[in-house]
Amino acid sequence: MAVARKIPKIMEEPTAFCAGCGHGILNRLIAEVLEEKGQEKNHILILGVGCNCNMNFTWGGDKLQCAHGRATSVARGAKTGRPDTLIISYQGDGDAYVIGLSDTINTAYVNTNVTTFAVNNTNYAMTGGQMSWTTIPGQHTTTSASGRDCESTGNPIKVPEIIAQNFDVAYVARGSLHSAKEINKTKKYVRNAIEAQLNGEGFSLVEVLAQCPTNWKVSTVDANEWLKDKVVPIYPLGEFKKREGRDDK
Ligand SMILES: Cc1ncc(C[n+]2csc(CCOP(=O)(O)OP(=O)(O)O)c2C)c(N)n1
Ligand code: SF4
Ligand SMILES: [Mg+2]
């Protein structure tokens, strides 16, 4: 018998994302974990600029919209002022890894006790699908019309690996949303990241590979295959930094 899970209260408004967008799935995972942990009224979502701006109208919890790229820095300020509140930055790849790369690295470097969810959909989606540093080799975007040429633009950036290998942070993982199995794994990563902050363990980062059918110019169904077959091979999935003393992954 199929069991339908109740929609978390934080998500009672329908999302404003395109059909088949990965953002909506991640919203749901975060909302479910916040509810499981009793944090529906004790969190602030720090929104970067990108398609996640849609959450200003739909996310039922506390939130704060900040300038493009500055979300982890704003999160650090919020945590300083509200140490007992769960502080989560929710950003796109362009926001967290390009314009905001220095903020993200600095937050990892000082190991602030905040959590970042970075949605990697391999493009600047909100502004019409321009090339990002995460765009995969050969990918057609509005600013790489012939396909991304990595010889002249560099290779896809892997920020979780950079952070896990270089900084003393609490938790780093990368999940994907292309199948039910991977969505369940990603939820585990989301839970681990939030638990790490609740336990005061330090910075936690989860990158989430997400569908953007609109800018990839594929159907909502084909977007799952596109993600699995083209994006996942470039960005390995898993936990790059496990929480200390825990092997429950
Ligand atoms: C300082 C500044 N520069 C550029 C922009 C334009 N801009 C808005 S969103 C965005 C990129 C969004 O891409 P991403 O962070 O990957 O989020 P997505 O929409 O893909 O989820 C850009 C370049 C801006 N709003 N502010
Ligand atoms: S443009 Fe892409 S990332 Fe933005 S809401 Fe639509 S599918 Fe989602
Ligand atoms: Mg993006």
Side-chain angles (χ1 to χ4, degrees):
M1 189 183 77
V3 179
R5 253 195 236 146
K6 237 179 88 215
I7 295 175
K9 269 204 165 338
I10 304 169
M11 281 196 73
E12 274 181 345
E13 283 293 322
T15 68
F17 305 116
C18 310
C21 175
H23 274 292
I25 304 172
L26 180 61
N27 278 206
R28 172 80 183 244
L29 299 184
I30 297 170
E32 285 182 0
V33 172
L34 290 177
E35 203 168 84
E36 284 165 23
K37 297 282 165 196
Q39 298 296 313
E40 308 97 305
K41 297 210 158 87
N42 185 46
H43 70 276
I44 305 175
L45 216 55
I46 313 288
L47 296 170
V49 175
C51 284
N52 57 29
C53 292
N54 284 314
M55 293 164 72
N56 277 306
F57 310 105
T58 64
W59 186 258
D62 286 338
K63 56 209 173 272
L64 197 159
Q65 174 76 66
C66 59
H68 195 25
R70 305 289 88 86
T72 50
S73 297
V74 173
R76 292 179 62 203
K79 195 67 179 177
T80 305
R82 301 283 294 270
D84 297 328
T85 302
L86 194 61
I87 305 293
I88 298 169
S89 79
Y90 184 116
Q91 304 172 255
D93 49 282
D95 195 79
Y97 297 166
V98 187
I99 192 171
L101 183 63
S102 62
D103 301 64
T104 305
I105 294 289
N106 199 37
T107 304
Y109 178 70
V110 295
N111 195 21
T112 310
N113 190 34
V114 295
T115 299
T116 292
F117 295 122
V119 175
N120 179 358
N121 53 21
T122 75
N123 76 100
Y124 296 169
M126 190 189 86
T127 43
Q130 292 84 6
M131 193 187 86
S132 170
W133 287 0
T134 59
T135 295
I136 63 173
Q139 183 178 342
H140 297 263
T141 70
T142 53
T143 49
S144 58
S146 311
R148 182 176 188 184
D149 171 13
C150 294
E151 290 263 319
S152 59
T153 64
N155 289 301
I157 191 164
K158 297 177 184 173
V159 176
E161 284 88 336
I162 294 171
I163 288 179
Q165 284 161 21
N166 291 285
F167 304 113
D168 188 18
V169 298
Y171 184 71
V172 183
R174 181 186 289 116
S176 176
L177 302 175
H178 64 264
S179 67
K181 185 174 162 213
E182 295 304 329
I183 290 170
N184 278 334
K185 275 197 212 162
T186 301
K187 181 170 178 185
K188 193 175 67 173
Y189 302 157
V190 168
R191 189 185 295 116
N192 259 326
I194 286 175
E195 279 180 5
Q197 185 182 159
L198 289 172
N199 289 346
E201 294 167 23
F203 182 57
S204 48
L205 165 71
V206 179
E207 176 177 309
V208 178
L209 304 181
Q211 303 87 335
C212 176
T214 302
N215 287 310
W216 293 352
K217 304 197 187 320
V218 295
S219 71
T220 56
V221 174
D222 288 350
N224 294 331
E225 294 302 307
W226 210 93
L227 186 53
K228 172 167 72 72
D229 296 340
K230 294 184 190 284
V231 183
V232 172
I234 306 289
Y235 294 106
L237 305 179
E239 293 175 304
F240 303 105
K241 175 89 198 256
K242 294 193 179 200
R243 292 168 61 203
E244 223 150 89
R246 286 174 185 260
D247 210 9
D248 56 345
K249 322 299 183 294

